[in-house]
Amino acid sequence: MEVRVKATADWCAWEDAVLSGETKGAFNPYADRPSAARLALVRICSHHFSHGAWLDEGVLLREAGRPAGIPGVLIHGRLDMGGPLDTAGELHRAWPDSRLIVVEDAGHLGGVTTGGQVRQALDRFAGR
């Protein structure tokens, strides 16, 4: 049990450190969760990571051309250290009918600007 508690605390501290640039260190979105929620998050994430999300390495980018003809919008925060912007750019270049929107003041968590971009994209698709 002690190992689980320490591993959970360490994982959440790492997640919070990755997010600290976009939150200006104002809060700890993972470490401040109730202990059961922290443990559940860490168990789910570590399980998926340990299995490579059940995907072959590089398959998403290799197969990104498959939805050619299907429009999509990729909305990505420039401050996202957990999912670098380069990766979103690679996906955008490989998916012919995608549009990449970079939200300058957002990271992994998004924010007001990101939410607005998501709503605009949904409205455009709804109007098709």
Side-chain angles (χ1 to χ4, degrees), residues 43-83:
R43 290 182 73 188
I44 291 166
C45 288
S46 61
H47 184 68
H48 280 80
F49 283 139
S50 69
H51 292 284
W54 293 274
L55 296 170
D56 292 333
E57 185 67 32
V59 70
L60 293 177
L61 289 176
R62 268 196 320 277
E63 301 291 331
R66 290 183 69 183
I70 301 171
V73 178
L74 307 168
I75 302 169
H76 198 89
R78 184 172 299 283
L79 304 174
D80 188 346
M81 292 191 298

Side-chain angles (χ1 to χ4, degrees), residues 16-25 79 81:
D16 288 343
V18 167
L19 296 175
S20 66
E22 64 187 83
T23 64
K24 313 275 190 284
L79 304 174
M81 292 191 298

Side-chain angles (χ1 to χ4, degrees), residues 81-93:
M81 292 191 298
L85 182 56
D86 291 354
T87 305
E90 286 181 60
L91 179 58
H92 169 60
R93 286 186 294 279

Side-chain angles (χ1 to χ4, degrees), residues 88-105:
E90 286 181 60
L91 179 58
H92 169 60
R93 286 186 294 279
W95 182 1
D97 298 289
S98 69
R99 177 174 176 221
L100 175 60
I101 297 171
V102 178
V103 181
E104 296 296 329
D105 65 346

Side-chain angles (χ1 to χ4, degrees), residues 10-40:
D10 290 348
W11 189 293
C12 289
W14 178 83
E15 292 279 1
D16 288 343
V18 167
L19 296 175
S20 66
E22 64 187 83
T23 64
K24 313 275 190 284
F27 69 110
N28 297 312
Y30 293 99
D32 287 348
R33 293 177 183 197
S35 60
R38 286 193 315 268
L39 178 59

